[in-house]
Amino acid sequence: MFVQQLQPIADSLALSALVAALPLITVLVLLGAVRMRAHHAGLIGLAVALLTACIGSGMPVTQALSSAVQGAVFGLFPIMWIVVNALWVYRMTVRTQHFDVLRRSFSRLSDDPRIQALVIAFCFGALLEALAGFGAPVAISAVMLVALGFDPVKAAVVALVANTAPVAFGAMGTPVVTLAQVTGLPLDSVASVVGRQTPLLALIVPLLLVALVDGRRGLRETWLPALACGIAFAATQFAAANYVSAQLADIGAALIGAAALVAVPAARRPATTSVRAAVLTGARSEDLDVRDSRRETVRAYAPYGLIIVIFSLAQIPPFKDWAAAATRSFDWPLLDVAGPDGKPVGGNVLTLPLVATGGTLVLLAGLITAAVLGVRARDAAKEWLATVHELRFAILTVTSVLALAYVMNLSGQAATIGHFVAAAGAGLAFLSPVLGWFGVAVSGSDTSANALFGALQVTAAQQSGLSPELLAAANSSGGVLGKMISPQNLTIACAAVGLAGREGDLLRKVLPWSLLLLLVMCLIVLAQSTAVLGWMLP
């Protein structure tokens, strides 16, 4: 048995924490300063983590390697299993051109560019985040806005800022699923607290978007539809995260938010010529004038409806019990780790929810989607394999980062850093979202940031007397605000709208909003750690 030590280096907590932080420092420097590709940085960081675990923490080589393999396995299943199947569903809608039908359907909801920005960038962007994530919402939303006549820079900025509130529950809840796994906290508990933080952002972001599109006039004339959209989105995300399913949080919020938006009479009024002339400075795509049949429009919406139905059925006790019965748990080989208190850690056992996981449910929805959209079995299989190929570097990045996280957690390195960070005391509540924000800013992924810093946040919370669920959730909620300034997302946005090489221009435009919203989230978490907003927590 390997027993974790909190001060393995010269019996000094500070020196031990510095050595333990080397893998994280390596990844962040390679990503942020060297601008190395994420999967290369992840692999190098993993190598450093193995060295510090074995040499610094005294973990046996076989156990260190075994913990890395376990982390990689978790990265593949259920994490990338969810992402691959979700993106596969989207790719099939593109193959059958039903994605274009959906785009045209959205464009006909209103001719007001400020409302179009809310429908496409905020609501549809959230739907894409729920199903695909990993940059797809920014790229697709920005392209759609440009097709409507938006200036490319404005389209990119709007798409980047809109990609905030839904990120924590993106890719069928992948970030919160990862957070629960690496921290050992129940998924329901983590999702519940995140669902009491990010909805507060959803109240602000729609108002910010109309201001970005048309300044004070946009805010003055469209504040009511924007507020209605934000309230509906926030309420649905809160309800789904707390009482239904974290995997459904963004899908339900996106659809209900869009419905509430178009239900406001002001959102359906034709835009004035002066507004359209001031906002739409580009060329409008001609295919927007194509009229689609009601049957094709229904088929375009069908994949998202199927996912909602299947995930809802999965929450009904008979189906839930059947899925739980298929879950398998077994002792992980070559791993026998105890915490500093001598008690075995949860990492010694691996649990595989073969049916209950979101990826399997999305796969089922995808199979039905293929039949509804008329995709032949052979073509559907080709699209699935093409999805895996498209995500190959993302798969390598996620598995390497999860392997790194598991090595740090099981070797005790994360606990050492957490004890050292706990010296911030009550101020830790204010700073915890900043750590998540920084992690996403350099990695481009809330999932990766949660894997890197989730366990650290929990350890620090336990040592400082704060709620572990609060700080773990704050890591994810703060992280969503770093998405808009991550090099990965900036590059995706620029490439999508034909602004390659102008990432610096976009960064200067979105950085102030990222910092402002981060400050808001820091204040929210700080207030939730006290009696001011403590009543919000479950």
Side-chain angles (χ1 to χ4, degrees):
M1 176 182 287
F2 166 69
V3 180
Q4 298 173 351
Q5 302 296 319
L6 293 178
Q7 301 178 175
I9 309 297
D11 201 28
S12 167
L13 182 60
L15 188 57
S16 299
L18 178 61
V19 173
L22 287 177
L24 298 178
I25 295 172
T26 299
V27 172
L28 298 179
V29 169
L30 291 178
L31 286 172
V34 182
R35 299 294 179 90
M36 183 178 288
R37 299 185 70 174
H39 59 282
H40 291 151
L43 290 172
I44 294 174
L46 171 59
V48 175
L50 289 169
L51 287 173
T52 54
C54 297
I55 299 174
S57 301
M59 190 178 199
V61 174
T62 53
Q63 298 217 41
L65 292 173
S66 180
S67 62
V69 173
Q70 184 183 161
V73 168
F74 178 71
L76 291 173
F77 187 94
I79 300 305
M80 293 310 297
W81 178 241
I82 298 171
V83 176
V84 167
N85 289 324
L87 191 57
W88 173 56
V89 173
Y90 161 72
R91 286 180 62 98
M92 284 194 292
T93 66
V94 173
R95 181 186 183 92
T96 59
Q97 298 184 333
H98 284 90
F99 177 76
D100 295 327
V101 176
L102 197 65
R103 175 167 60 89
R104 289 190 288 268
S105 174
F106 288 154
S107 71
R108 287 191 287 270
L109 292 175
S110 173
D111 71 343
D112 189 325
R114 300 165 299 189
I115 302 302
Q116 291 173 338
L118 290 176
V119 171
I120 293 173
F122 186 69
C123 297
F124 187 57
L127 195 59
L128 291 171
E129 182 66 38
L131 293 181
F134 290 88
V138 170
I140 296 168
S141 297
V143 167
M144 290 174 73
L145 291 175
V146 169
L148 292 172
F150 276 69
D151 171 73
V153 173
K154 183 171 289 186
V157 170
V158 168
L160 285 166
V161 174
N163 192 221
T164 49
V167 169
F169 296 103
M172 307 308 296
T174 296
V176 291
V177 170
T178 303
L179 185 61
Q181 181 69 21
V182 299
T183 59
L185 298 173
L187 174 60
D188 291 343
S189 299
V190 173
S192 178
V193 180
V194 175
R196 295 162 194 251
Q197 294 173 344
T198 56
L200 299 177
L201 291 176
L203 299 174
I204 302 172
V205 173
L207 296 169
L208 176 57
L209 292 179
V210 295
L212 286 172
V213 171
D214 194 30
R216 293 182 180 178
R217 177 179 60 182
L219 193 58
R220 184 176 64 251
E221 295 180 359
T222 56
W223 68 269
L224 184 57
L227 186 60
C229 176
I231 291 174
F233 187 102
T236 306
Q237 192 181 61
F238 162 78
N242 281 273
Y243 306 113
V244 184
S245 166
Q247 288 90 342
L248 283 177
D250 280 350
I251 295 178
L255 297 177
I256 300 300
L261 172 63
V262 299
V264 178
R268 301 194 300 275
R269 295 188 193 125
T272 63
T273 303
S274 61
V275 169
R276 292 184 61 81
V279 176
L280 303 180
T281 56
R284 184 176 179 273
S285 177
E286 294 180 358
D287 80 323
L288 294 174
D289 297 323
V290 175
R291 290 289 169 179
D292 302 295
S293 67
R294 179 175 297 179
R295 179 174 180 271
E296 291 305 307
T297 302
V298 170
R299 292 175 73 191
Y301 282 92
Y304 312 107
L306 284 169
I307 289 175
I308 292 174
V309 169
I310 289 173
F311 271 83
S312 299
L313 289 174
Q315 305 305 311
I316 298 176
F319 294 98
K320 194 172 184 177
D321 294 341
W322 173 76
T327 299
R328 296 288 179 267
S329 297
F330 57 90
D331 292 333
W332 187 256
L334 304 177
L335 199 62
D336 188 10
V337 179
D341 57 1
K343 297 180 180 178
V345 300
N348 295 327
V349 177
L350 179 69
T351 301
L352 294 176
L354 300 176
V355 177
T357 184
T360 302
L361 298 177
V362 176
L363 176 64
L364 176 59
L367 294 173
I368 301 174
T369 293
V372 171
L373 299 184
V375 181
R376 295 181 301 176
R378 182 177 180 181
D379 292 334
K382 284 183 177 179
E383 287 296 332
W384 193 90
L385 293 174
T387 303
V388 174
H389 182 266
E390 179 184 339
L391 290 173
R392 62 192 185 281
F393 294 126
I395 292 172
L396 186 55
T397 298
V398 170
T399 52
S400 62
V401 168
L402 263 297
L404 181 156
Y406 268 58
V407 171
M408 290 190 65
N409 294 344
L410 291 173
S411 66
Q413 294 177 84
T416 296
I417 300 172
H419 279 71
F420 181 73
V421 172
L428 186 60
F430 181 84
L431 296 174
S432 58
V434 179
L435 192 58
W437 173 85
F438 184 70
V440 175
V442 297
S443 70
S445 168
D446 200 34
T447 299
S448 296
N450 286 344
L452 291 173
F453 300 129
L456 187 156
Q457 296 267 24
V458 168
T459 302
Q462 292 169 339
Q463 293 303 307
S464 59
L466 296 170
S467 165
E469 291 81 3
L470 175 62
L471 294 202
N475 192 83
S476 191
S477 299
V480 307
L481 301 172
K483 197 79 180 282
M484 69 177 83
I485 63 169
S486 69
Q488 171 185 308
N489 257 22
L490 290 170
T491 301
I492 289 172
C494 284
V497 298
L499 297 174
R502 295 184 58 184
E503 290 84 358
D505 294 340
L506 282 188
L507 177 61
R508 284 190 290 273
K509 289 182 178 296
V510 299
L511 180 58
W513 300 114
S514 177
L515 293 174
L516 177 61
L517 292 174
L518 175 62
L519 175 61
V520 171
M521 181 53 65
C522 289
L523 293 173
I524 289 171
V525 174
L526 178 62
Q528 288 180 334
S529 71
T530 67
V532 177
L533 290 181
W535 52 269
M536 291 183 63
L537 300 181

